[in-house]
Amino acid sequence: MIAFILARNGPISIRTLLLVVFLFLMLLPVIAFTYIIYIKEIEVYRGQVSRYLLQTVEQTQRLLEADLMEIDRLISPLLYEHPLDFLEESIYTSYQRQEANQKFTELVYADLLRGQLDLVRAVHLITPNKTVLSSDNTFQEFGQADIGNYVHIVEQIEKQPLKMRWFSDKWAIYKSREGFETPLRDSVTAARKLVDSNTLEVRGYLFIQLNDRFIKDNLEPVRIGSTGALIVTDENGDEIYRQQSSLFDATEISAYLKAHSSDGGAESSGVQRVAGKWLVAHDTSAVSGLTLTAVVPLDELMSSNLSILRYLLLIAGLAVVIFTVVSILMATEISDPVIKLAKHMSFPSLDNLQFREIHSSIREITMLQRSFNRLMQRIQELLQENERKEREKREALFQALQMQIKPHFLYNTLDTIYWMSKKYNADSISKLVTALGKFFRFTLNAGQEWTTLQKEIEHIENYLQIQAFRYRDKLQYEIALDPETRNTSIMPLILQPVVENALEHGISKAEGEGRVTIRSRKEGDRVYITVHNTGNRLNADELRLQLQSPPSEHYGLANVRQRISMVFGPDYGITLEACEEGGAVATLCIPFSNWNETGG
């Protein structure tokens, strides 16, 4: 793949290719290793930071819960004793209300909440008949209360009547009109239902309004990194307290807090990344239902990772330098012998084939150089052999030119014999001379590479006519060709040895008249030519001997088999079988091809 990409703009040197490959194989693991280590380190560090942040939030929440439970514990005597018995007296006049209000204030301030007075803004009690008792003298009538907030808080309390509920300042049932500014502000309202534990009689609903010191003293000292911040929200998502920070003004953080409160706090605690910029940890108290959320920017948390990244980059840079130097040295060591060998291979000419080169410390390159030396030696030998063949060819051509005179003399002599036999009405002699002339013309012109099956059969017919004079009335022959096979390409003089073998081993040794039958047929993409002769039945040893005996220069079945296999392949050739009635049948198998396809 690398070679293909580099070679798109043209051939490249082996040194460049090796250098690129070595650098790729060496640098890719370094880059991948550095990247994987950095990513894994980030994951581990984020996990540690997330656990630390969540632990910080949970510990802070436990401290806050301790104060909340302390308020609940201080109020619990109202459930198990009879400090509110004065409520059983009739309260009709303003004097009676003032006296009852004074008793209530002394009860909660002097007896119950005396250790937490610096945290309490006001305490209100609203009886079932809507009588108001309050430590705030400005709140005397139920009509002064925020009826909507009162109904909302009562509805929430009735869902869990035995539990104290906590609400933000947004749901305060009464807000006094102060004549001067104070640094303390209302922050949270604790409310619960007062039921006499003995009579199960509802005494009323108690509301304790606490100032911001109640939560501020616990949360203000807590530091979340250098830029992180905490925020406390109630079950409705309303803000109760938050550290001074612009983080909570971000749209994504506001949306997260709102979404978390709307789903009812599906998870009591957890850590989540918001918008890939902040890490947010939250914990919802099982005691108060208040949610404490910490927000810290990821950039601040991951700043320490920059030093680790610098070290990793430094190590990777050193590795790159080392691997580059090693790659250059390795590429040079491998490519130099190859480049020299390539130059030497382009250097030899016909006048300098004796050049030899063996100089390399790499075994494979040495093998190439030795192969190159053997190649040069073989080229020298082939050139010498070719020179010898060219010389023999010139001599053969000269002899062929000399022999051209002999066929003309032979043809003229046969022509004279033919006309003399015609003159003296010797028809048998004229037929013999005609067949002999055609036979010699085909034989002497058999130097061509291909002929047709039709012409080969015509030559065999001339041969059989000549042999018929030899064997007189002992030889009969029959030739039947499939018309589809007439133009099949075949080598010249391929059938004559087969027919000659049939005459020598069949007809000549038979008693009485003998017969030779030649047929051809086409089956698929093959042509089968059978030569059947009558006579004595041959055994297996005689058949094997005829096919495997060393071929002479021009004759023999083995010669025919070898010629066919060399030209057409090992799937084609000749088979010889004995016939039950006597004699033998030789079958030649050649591929079917039209004369024009072979260039004829």
Side-chain angles (χ1 to χ4, degrees), residues 19 22 322-336:
L19 182 60
F22 288 153
I322 295 173
F323 288 157
T324 301
V325 173
V326 172
S327 298
I328 293 174
L329 294 176
M330 291 179 63
T332 302
E333 179 67 20
I334 296 175
S335 62
D336 276 354

Side-chain angles (χ1 to χ4, degrees), residues 426-562:
D427 294 334
S428 58
I429 296 176
S430 62
K431 290 180 180 179
L432 176 61
V433 172
T434 301
L436 187 61
K438 292 181 179 179
F439 177 82
F440 279 124
R441 287 181 186 275
F442 185 86
T443 303
L444 293 174
N445 292 324
Q448 58 185 357
E449 187 175 359
W450 296 98
T451 187
T452 63
L453 180 59
Q454 175 69 34
K455 293 181 179 180
E456 181 71 9
I457 290 298
E458 290 176 357
H459 170 68
I460 293 302
E461 190 172 6
N462 292 325
Y463 175 74
L464 288 173
Q465 287 181 9
I466 295 172
Q467 293 298 329
F469 281 95
R470 174 187 175 188
Y471 291 100
R472 298 186 182 274
D473 297 331
K474 190 176 182 178
L475 173 62
Q476 299 292 328
Y477 64 87
E478 177 187 357
I479 299 175
L481 292 184
D482 184 346
E484 287 189 75
T485 66
R486 292 181 181 274
N487 287 328
T488 298
S489 299
I490 192 172
M491 296 89 73
L493 301 177
I494 201 71
L495 290 178
Q496 181 180 334
V498 181
V499 175
E500 185 176 352
N501 188 78
L503 295 177
E504 181 178 351
H505 296 281
I507 304 301
S508 65
K509 297 180 180 181
E511 295 181 1
E513 183 180 291
R515 189 175 187 83
V516 176
T517 304
I518 301 173
R519 300 180 185 277
S520 69
R521 69 182 188 278
K522 178 177 178 293
E523 293 183 5
D525 59 350
R526 299 191 177 195
V527 173
Y528 294 91
I529 307 168
T530 60
V531 179
H532 173 256
N533 65 273
T534 59
N536 297 330
R537 190 173 185 272
L538 302 177
N539 56 39
D541 293 336
E542 292 174 328
L543 295 175
R544 185 169 58 255
L545 183 62
Q546 291 185 37
L547 282 176
Q548 296 182 357
S549 60
S552 63
E553 186 175 0
H554 298 292
Y555 304 103
L557 297 184
N559 180 278
V560 174
R561 176 177 55 80
Q562 185 177 9

